[in-house]
Amino acid sequence: AFGWIPAGADGSSDGPVIHRPQMTARVASWRGEEVSGYGYSKRYYAIYPRHNGWRFIHGVSGPHLSGVVDSGAGSGAAPVAPSPDSPTPPSIVWTADATFGDHKYNYFKLLAPEGHGSGQLRESAQADTYQQQDAAYGVIGGERVTASLREIATWHTILGGGGGGAMEMKYENRLCAFTLQVGDRPPTTGVAYNERCFGCLW
């Protein structure tokens, strides 16, 4: 687990955000087979400002994932998801580009395969980190790092509002194919979760 105080938070009263980017899970039966994979969890207890906007990506990739499988959901081919049973740990990226109230908040974290045992993170300076519609960018150790997405499925909900001209927020989640490019090294592929949310939270 990793934790830090986010932008705009009151460090004397608000606790840190707790990130768990390398959680593992096992499903006893999915379409007749046992499957396993990686997940992400975040915990944060505080009062958010009313006006917010953020983009967030959690991606897991590995060099051994060159094949594709049929997603079975009418969305064409989906990438092979990294497995905790693989002898080589995956690369895990989580990155955000956000504004909470009037406070800018962005980061780009990389847990490389060799860092899984020690928990050693590599990260980009905030000045070098930003996101576009289907990609996130950073600079780590002098190398340009790009996390690219291709949407497989999407779903959303509307928060707040209630009609009558009240402002509201659109909260969107996407399952995506994921490609991680670090400098001139061969790219690695896998899957990613993409969260986008903009508007008035309350």
Side-chain angles (χ1 to χ4, degrees):
F2 305 89
W4 57 84
I5 300 294
D10 180 358
S12 62
S13 59
D14 295 340
V17 179
I18 304 299
H19 298 263
R20 295 189 290 175
Q22 60 188 118
M23 297 180 68
T24 60
R26 193 172 301 273
V27 178
S29 179
W30 169 252
R31 295 177 179 169
E33 296 183 2
E34 182 181 278
V35 294
S36 59
Y38 286 90
Y40 167 85
S41 171
K42 177 175 70 176
R43 294 196 307 167
Y44 178 51
Y45 298 99
I47 298 176
Y48 275 77
R50 185 181 182 204
H51 307 96
N52 301 277
W54 68 80
R55 297 177 181 269
F56 172 81
I57 296 169
H58 174 260
V60 184
S61 66
H64 54 290
L65 305 173
S66 58
V68 296
V69 295
D70 186 357
S71 67
S75 56
V80 176
S83 170
D85 299 325
S86 170
T88 303
S91 294
I92 298 179
V93 165
W94 74 108
T95 174
D97 191 348
T99 301
F100 296 119
D102 297 322
H103 300 279
K104 181 63 180 176
Y105 181 55
N106 62 327
Y107 60 82
F108 194 113
K109 312 283 185 179
L110 170 63
L111 182 61
E114 62 273 16
H116 279 248
S118 64
Q120 181 178 5
L121 286 179
R122 304 178 64 199
E123 60 185 296
S124 175
Q126 286 184 300
D128 298 322
T129 299
Y130 63 97
Q131 292 194 22
Q132 297 290 347
Q133 182 75 354
D134 293 306
Y137 303 93
V139 177
I140 298 178
E143 294 182 301
R144 171 86 161 187
V145 182
T146 303
S148 301
L149 305 176
R150 177 178 58 81
E151 182 180 294
I152 298 171
T154 182
W155 59 102
H156 74 270
T157 189
I158 302 298
L159 304 175
M167 299 185 74
E168 57 192 19
M169 171 173 275
K170 181 180 181 181
Y171 179 73
E172 182 182 16
N173 298 270
R174 299 198 301 165
L175 172 66
C176 298
F178 176 61
T179 300
L180 176 64
Q181 180 74 56
V182 180
D184 296 327
R185 307 178 201 179
T188 58
T189 59
V191 294
Y193 165 73
N194 180 212
E195 178 181 286
R196 303 187 298 203
C197 198
F198 295 92
C200 291
L201 190 56
W202 47 267

